[in-house]
Amino acid sequence: FHSLPVTDRKSKFVAHLSRVTSVQEVQAVIRELYQDKRIATATHNVVAYRICTAGGDLIEERDDDGEAGAGDKMLYLLHVADVRNVVVVVTRWYGGIHLGPDRFKHFTNIAKGILTDHNLLPTKASGHPTKQKKEKNRHKK
């Protein structure tokens, strides 16, 4: 699955999502994505995945692909929402203008969007358990 692109100051972001059950399947998904020359030559292809093995072990991994910290933020989203057996790849084509910390917002939001679109996240997931708890407590008063 692929998201619609998000563009900010000439940088373009697109998320890709696939269900997986092994690291080999993750690698196959990445190889398949790289068959598209536009994706293969993108500035960054940031990957995050969580897999629950048949034995019950949880494998979590991420690859920043040169965008330091972006994979951590995407993996944190998968972890907080307890999303399993999914790989998310966010492709960024750098547009020549530095986005600063806004780039992390785009990586996280586009990943959150594709997960929500495929019913893997609640539609109002904040991605931060503390914020969710505060919102619940606020409604109890």
Side-chain angles (χ1 to χ4, degrees), residues 48-50 60-62 69-83 108 121 126-131:
Y49 64 87
R50 294 181 82 221
E60 299 179 315
E61 195 59 62
R62 90 304 177 263
D72 290 331
K73 294 190 180 302
M74 289 169 43
L75 185 58
Y76 178 75
L77 173 65
L78 297 177
H79 178 78
V80 167
D82 197 28
V83 177
T108 303
L121 283 183
S126 72
H128 193 284
T130 307
K131 289 181 183 176

Side-chain angles (χ1 to χ4, degrees), residues 81-119:
D82 197 28
V83 177
R84 298 174 184 207
N85 298 332
V86 164
V87 59
V88 177
V89 179
V90 175
T91 301
R92 177 187 182 193
W93 293 271
Y94 178 64
I97 300 169
H98 291 286
L99 302 182
D102 285 349
R103 69 190 189 276
F104 297 117
K105 174 183 68 174
H106 294 307
F107 278 103
T108 303
N109 286 342
I110 200 160
K112 188 184 295 185
I114 200 166
L115 289 164
T116 301
D117 290 347
H118 294 282
N119 300 313

Side-chain angles (χ1 to χ4, degrees), residues 41 60 63 96 99 126-127 132-133:
T41 60
E60 299 179 315
D63 178 5
L99 302 182
S126 72
Q132 289 175 352
K133 187 174 182 180

Side-chain angles (χ1 to χ4, degrees), residues 1-2 12 15 22 25 36 45 54 57 61 80-82 94 107 109 111 122 137:
F1 302 105
H2 309 280
K12 185 165 85 170
S22 69
E25 287 182 15
D36 183 329
N45 285 292
D57 294 325
E61 195 59 62
V80 167
D82 197 28
Y94 178 64
F107 278 103
N109 286 342
N137 289 339

